[in-house]
Amino acid sequence: MSQEWVSYRRSPRVPVEVMRAHFEHHRYDLHAHESYSFGCTELGAQTFRCRGAQRTSAEGMVMAFNPEDPHDGHAADEGGFTYQIVHLSPELIGDVLSDEAGRPVGLPLFAEPVLHEPGLAAALREVHAALTGGESALAQDEALHRAVRTMVRLGAVTAAPPGWTAETRREDDGLRQVRELLHAEFATDVETARLAEISGRSRFALYRAFRDLHGLTPGEYQRQLRVRCARRSLASGRTPAEAAAEAGFADQSHLTRWFRRYYAITPARFRDAALGQPVAS
């Protein structure tokens, strides 16, 4: 019998989300976050695809995902894995680093998706404990600041590998128009033929070029935009059914299926957490 469980919390004060979970059968679908995401594996091992290769995070290791870093994930064996993950907004990290430097600074880049850094793992556990253990706002802020400084000191790089960042990848005018159309019409059914015509490519060439640039196919990219729209709607207090309709999903069950594949919790539980209710299952 599966013993899977999830606990999740979203801070009401700062743009931070934390989750702790044990999974045996759950599989994350390919997706990316708008935040920086750092997962600390406590027990077992998780395997995942990221940046063109298969990776494994075992006990004591840290997974480091930059914003818009596509990845999936599942247990490496039948024993499953237990992990904590912390999602931090780029704005929060930028504010902390700029405050420490006394001037505006650029955002960090984490070039390695898996880090073996006990100090970073400890800092992430401290953030999770502060946000879920009833610590004061001051204690939470101090834990966040220490974690951000530790992340940058132990895992960040000053120069990206060639072709890594979005700024160094080639987005020609056709691919830019496809991306802009998907953002403008994410809630509607957009036909592949229309995107191919806009891009000036065949359907297969468009699929390959868009995936090479964004790590997701046009269909996966559109679905991610829909899920993100639903998250915003849920966080504002709309019901899952209302969020599903606004985001372009067929119905609430359709949204729930993909929401769980991306975030491992249901839209209803995310909404409760966003409105100040801790989530556990």
Side-chain angles (χ1 to χ4, degrees), residues 23 54 90 123 130 141 233 246 249:
F23 294 130
Q54 197 75 18
D141 290 344
S233 296
E246 183 176 351
F249 287 95

Side-chain angles (χ1 to χ4, degrees), residues 2-207:
S2 174
Q3 298 295 321
E4 295 189 334
W5 52 265
V6 176
S7 63
Y8 170 84
R9 184 172 178 82
R10 179 183 169 108
S11 171
R13 298 188 308 106
V14 289
V16 178
E17 299 172 49
V18 295
M19 186 177 80
R20 185 168 180 261
H22 174 76
F23 294 130
E24 298 169 11
H25 306 295
H26 177 76
R27 302 178 72 93
Y28 285 105
D29 208 83
L30 190 65
H31 69 288
H33 300 277
E34 295 176 281
S35 61
Y36 286 90
S37 302
F38 300 91
C40 176
T41 305
E42 298 179 20
L43 296 170
Q46 177 179 183
T47 184
F48 60 96
R49 287 180 297 152
C50 184
R51 306 176 202 169
Q54 197 75 18
R55 322 277 182 167
T56 298
S57 175
E59 183 175 341
M61 295 181 179
V62 173
M63 296 171 288
F65 301 121
N66 298 296
E68 307 302 341
D69 210 355
H71 58 282
D72 55 14
H74 57 87
D77 56 46
E78 62 182 14
F81 67 98
T82 303
Y83 83 129
Q84 298 178 12
I85 191 162
V86 178
H87 303 285
L88 304 168
S89 77
E91 293 76 17
L92 173 64
I93 288 184
D95 288 347
V96 171
L97 297 180
S98 296
D99 183 61
E100 184 174 76
R103 57 180 174 78
V105 298
L107 290 171
L109 173 71
F110 297 85
E112 293 298 327
V114 179
L115 303 169
H116 189 44
E117 293 286 356
L120 178 53
L124 293 172
R125 288 194 296 268
E126 183 182 6
V127 169
H128 187 278
L131 268 67
T132 61
E135 295 290 345
S136 67
L138 286 175
Q140 292 179 17
D141 290 344
E142 290 166 3
L144 283 169
H145 283 223
R146 282 192 295 272
V148 170
R149 292 195 299 269
T150 302
M151 290 169 194
V152 173
R153 178 170 57 85
L154 296 179
V157 297
T158 56
W164 161 240
T165 62
E167 290 75 14
T168 60
R169 296 170 179 161
R170 178 172 177 78
E171 182 181 50
D172 59 32
D173 188 59
L175 290 177
R176 177 186 57 78
Q177 290 186 56
V178 168
R179 175 176 55 80
E180 290 177 348
L181 177 64
L182 290 174
H183 278 265
E185 301 185 21
F186 67 85
T188 63
D189 286 331
V190 180
E191 295 186 357
T192 305
R194 182 183 177 193
L195 297 181
E197 181 180 358
I198 290 173
S199 73
R201 293 172 167 84
S202 69
R203 298 184 185 196
F204 176 75
L206 165 63
Y207 175 96

Side-chain angles (χ1 to χ4, degrees), residues 182 195 210 216-224 262:
L182 290 174
L195 297 181
F210 196 93
L216 302 168
T217 67
E220 291 168 337
Y221 191 90
Q222 182 190 43
R223 184 166 55 240
Q224 181 166 269
Y262 284 9

